[in-house]
Amino acid sequence: MHLLTFRTAEADGADDTAGAGAPRLGARLAGDRVADLTALATAAGVRLPPDLLGLIRAGAPALAVARELLAGSPATRPLAEVSLCAPLRPGKIVGVGLNYVEHVAESHRTLDTDRELPDRPVLFGKPSTAVTGPGGPIPHNADLTKQLDWECELAVVIGAPAFRVAEADALRHVFGYSIVNDISARDQRRSGQWFFSKGQDGYAPFGPVVVTADEIPDPQRLDLSLKVNGELRQDSNTRHMLFGVARLIVDISSGVTLEPGDVIATGSPSGVGAGMVPPRFLQPGDLVEATIERIGTLANPVVDAR
């Protein structure tokens, strides 16, 4: 399933309990159609959590109800007629740095990071307040940064609590996959720390959907790319990760409990603005499009936030 959160201009006649414009749980179907799971559950007289985070936390029984609701021929509407939100607000976002070989090389050349490949994952946190949805603005505050950069990353959405898990079991804790654009103010690193550089409001575009793990059995075989104003800047495949999804879950969960709805942003391939010659950074008016195979495209405009 391709699960999403959306808003409509008006509430459905079949179910106006959420109210006009309130976030609703839905699914993207073939032909870019959206099924309203909130309305379907109400019409069928079954119980379903009202949002995606609740669905994840409710576990397999709730997911089975959602699958059953979509199994027939549910009423749908065109994707273009709804406004997509971030799929959910994660409890925590665990970022991974320097997780592609070529990105390690370009970061050493331009960002003064270590030349050697890391022997264990490089981790940092992004607050949930950094999350913005498809079409949401990426803020460019020239008073804070002159080096606003992009990073297309596979997002792993945790479905079951994970603490000290074995690598063979790690993927069983994954609910699904999405896209995170790890926006970074390169000139806001502070004594090597990345929190403010990567954690400002709007610095984690997330979406457009969460694809359930059964539809992506091998997360290490996905093409990913990023364009700025239609110009290709990043083009790689998740097989080039230094530490794959299972290994990341093992490492993080060795000391931090991963909870349902948490997100791991698994790192960026090469092709960031800081690595270009000369460096090129985002400016107000730019459109950034991050694409990952089998998930879709996450598009966000850059806006002046002064």
Side-chain angles (χ1 to χ4, degrees), residues 32-299:
D32 279 339
R33 307 285 299 184
V34 173
D36 186 336
L37 282 165
T38 301
L40 290 173
T42 299
V46 298
R47 299 187 64 179
L48 195 68
D51 55 48
L52 184 51
L53 183 57
L55 184 73
I56 294 170
R57 289 173 173 169
L63 199 58
V65 170
R67 291 188 195 281
E68 186 174 347
L69 290 171
L70 297 173
S73 298
T76 63
R77 71 182 76 200
L79 181 62
E81 292 184 2
V82 304
S83 176
L84 295 184
C85 310
L88 58 100
R89 174 173 277 197
K92 53 184 172 286
I93 305 169
V94 182
V96 182
L98 306 174
N99 200 28
Y100 287 75
V101 174
E102 292 182 352
H103 184 52
V104 173
E106 73 175 357
S107 294
H108 171 71
R109 186 179 71 252
T110 60
L111 297 173
D112 197 30
T113 56
D114 289 342
R115 179 191 301 271
E116 295 77 18
L117 299 180
D119 58 6
R120 58 182 179 177
V122 177
L123 306 176
F124 60 91
K126 289 175 83 85
S128 61
T129 47
V131 168
T132 190
I138 298 171
H140 184 291
N141 185 341
D143 295 332
L144 292 177
T145 182
K146 302 297 190 294
Q147 299 180 1
L148 194 66
D149 211 342
W150 58 83
E151 295 188 357
C152 176
E153 307 194 4
L154 176 68
V156 179
V157 180
I158 298 299
F163 183 68
R164 297 181 180 174
V165 301
E167 189 161 355
D169 299 326
L171 294 185
R172 298 176 187 173
H173 295 263
V174 175
F175 177 84
Y177 301 94
S178 190
I179 303 170
V180 162
N181 189 351
D182 179 17
I183 299 298
S184 308
R186 301 295 186 191
D187 46 0
Q188 280 290 347
R189 285 188 300 162
R190 302 180 178 184
S191 298
Q193 298 301 307
W194 295 350
F195 180 81
F196 198 73
S197 168
K198 291 174 172 284
Q200 295 181 47
D201 289 4
Y203 277 24
F206 175 37
V209 300
V210 174
V211 179
T212 51
D214 59 295
E215 295 201 14
I216 302 179
D218 185 358
Q220 307 306 148
R221 293 292 185 271
L222 299 172
D223 289 333
L224 69 167
S225 62
L226 182 139
K227 295 178 180 179
V228 178
N229 301 327
E231 178 183 327
L232 186 66
R233 302 288 176 86
Q234 293 186 287
D235 188 12
S236 189
N237 188 284
T238 55
R239 67 175 176 271
H240 298 304
M241 286 184 190
L242 288 171
F243 305 100
V245 171
R247 181 62 196 155
L248 291 174
I249 292 172
V250 169
D251 185 78
I252 297 165
S253 74
S254 67
V256 175
T257 299
L258 289 168
E259 300 175 307
D262 286 350
V263 168
I264 303 172
T266 57
S268 170
S270 62
V272 300
M276 301 180 73
V277 181
R280 297 173 67 180
F281 297 107
L282 295 171
Q283 301 297 330
D286 287 344
L287 177 66
V288 188
E289 298 172 287
T291 299
I292 297 184
E293 180 183 2
R294 305 180 71 172
I295 298 173
T297 295
L298 173 65

